[in-house]
């Protein structure tokens, strides 16, 4: 990782975060605080350390794709964020989410179980929790409560939700979802199993996946094409 800052306060930065900031600032390291203050929108893919984001205090829109690990509590100093996307990553908890004045929150394909903190995000207008191993209480109670407040909620259907949870119970940290064409696919959030979790999602019908889970769970990882990442 590269470093920036003065000799008394050097700061390492993940290459993916550095790339995103460089694109926004318009030049590579080193950056001045004034330049970092102008950064309000970042799209970051495949970062393994997000601490460098804290040098951009005026962020309002943040997209994290395939990052690992991700913890909202470590980013709460970025209190101006109104739109947050964390996709194909390893977010496990919504602790800290109430520290952001969020209008939109896309948390698709992560490891979230408890959605209760989302009920306390006052400005929230839209949330996507597709492809998470959501606990039954959150699925059957929190999601309806959010919708009753007029919040636009996108979530997995019963079949995909049930099978995602069964995968996790079998020790397979995958997401199962329905794509835009109506097919069903598997994905592998985070960077532990692939360098590009947002691609190479094999198609598999619910009944086939259910049968594999019941009788041959060890065959499921082989559904992913090694050549595809």
């Amino acid at each position: 990782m590269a470093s920036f800052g003065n000799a008394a306060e050097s700061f390492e930065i993940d290459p993916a975060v550095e790339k995103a900031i460089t694109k926004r600032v318009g030049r590579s390291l080193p950056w001045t605080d004034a330049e970092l203050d102008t950064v309000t929108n970042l799209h970051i893919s495949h970062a393994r350390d997000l601490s460098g984001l804290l040098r951009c205090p005026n962020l309002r829109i943040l997209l994290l794709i395939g990052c690992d690990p991700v913890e909202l509590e470590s980013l709460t100093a970025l209190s101006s964020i109104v739109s947050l996307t964390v996709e194909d990553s390893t977010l496990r908890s919504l602790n800290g989410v109430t520290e952001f004045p969020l209008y939109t929150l896309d948390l698709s394909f992560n490891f979230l179980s408890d959605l209760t903190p989302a009920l306390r995000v006052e400005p929230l207008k839209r949330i996507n929790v597709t492809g998470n191993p959501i606990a039954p209480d959150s699925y059957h109670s929190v999601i309806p409560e959010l919708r009753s407040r007029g919040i636009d909620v996108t979530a997995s259907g019963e079949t995909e939700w049930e099978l995602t949870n069964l995968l996790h119970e079998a020790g397979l940290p995958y997401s199962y979802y329905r794509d835009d064409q109506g097919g069903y696919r598997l994905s592998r959030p985070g960077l532990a199993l692939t360098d590009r979790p947002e691609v190479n999602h094999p198609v598999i019908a619910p009944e086939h996946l259910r049968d594999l889970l019941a009788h041959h769970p060890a065959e499921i990882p082989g559904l992913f094409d090694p050549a595809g990442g």
Side-chain angles (χ1 to χ4, degrees), residues 3 23 26 32 34-35 42 51 61 78 80 94 106 120 143 151-152 155 163 176 182 201 207 218 224 228:
S3 298
K23 182 177 180 180
T32 66
E35 287 174 320
L42 284 177
S51 58
I61 301 173
L78 301 173
S80 296
L94 287 181
D106 186 341
R120 302 192 295 274
I143 289 177
I151 296 170
D152 180 4
L163 285 166
Y176 188 61
H201 296 176
E207 57 274 16
F224 292 92

Side-chain angles (χ1 to χ4, degrees), residues 58-71:
N58 297 318
L59 269 179
R60 291 179 56 81
I61 301 173
L62 177 60
L63 289 80
L64 302 174
I65 310 299
C67 295
D68 185 1
V70 180
E71 296 178 354

Side-chain angles (χ1 to χ4, degrees), residues 1 56 69 78 83 117 121 155 164-165 171 177 191 195 205 229:
M1 291 194 292
C56 301
L78 301 173
S83 178
V121 183
T164 294
N165 277 276
Y177 69 99
L191 299 174
D195 291 333

Side-chain angles (χ1 to χ4, degrees), residues 109 130 156-164 167 175-187 201-210 223-224:
F109 313 117
T130 301
S156 300
E158 291 268 357
T159 296
E160 308 95 274
W161 167 68
E162 177 192 3
L163 285 166
T164 294
L167 284 162
S175 295
Y176 188 61
Y177 69 99
R178 195 166 189 177
D179 64 25
D180 293 339
Q181 288 73 46
Y184 292 88
R185 294 179 178 269
L186 279 175
S187 72
H201 296 176
V203 175
I204 180 170
E207 57 274 16
H208 185 192
L209 180 57
R210 198 180 300 276
L223 296 173
F224 292 92

Side-chain angles (χ1 to χ4, degrees), residues 28-128:
S28 58
L29 286 166
W31 308 302
T32 66
D33 287 343
E35 287 174 320
L36 293 172
D37 285 347
T38 67
V39 177
T40 60
N41 184 335
L42 284 177
H43 182 161
I44 298 168
S45 298
H46 313 142
R48 297 179 182 271
D49 182 352
L50 298 174
S51 58
L53 292 176
L54 301 179
R55 291 303 176 97
C56 301
N58 297 318
L59 269 179
R60 291 179 56 81
I61 301 173
L62 177 60
L63 289 80
L64 302 174
I65 310 299
C67 295
D68 185 1
V70 180
E71 296 178 354
L72 300 184
E73 287 179 302
S74 69
L75 300 175
T76 55
L78 301 173
S79 57
S80 296
I81 294 178
V82 297
S83 178
L84 175 63
T85 296
V86 183
E87 290 183 357
D88 299 294
S89 300
T90 54
L91 184 66
R92 297 176 183 276
S93 170
L94 287 181
N95 291 342
V97 73
T98 57
E99 301 299 314
F100 306 97
L102 292 165
Y103 286 89
T104 62
L105 186 56
D106 186 341
L107 305 171
S108 49
F109 313 117
N110 282 277
F111 297 153
L112 290 170
S113 175
D114 180 15
L115 302 182
T116 304
L119 293 171
R120 302 192 295 274
V121 183
E122 292 297 332
L124 193 62
K125 301 297 181 185
R126 184 178 301 110
I127 184 171
N128 185 345

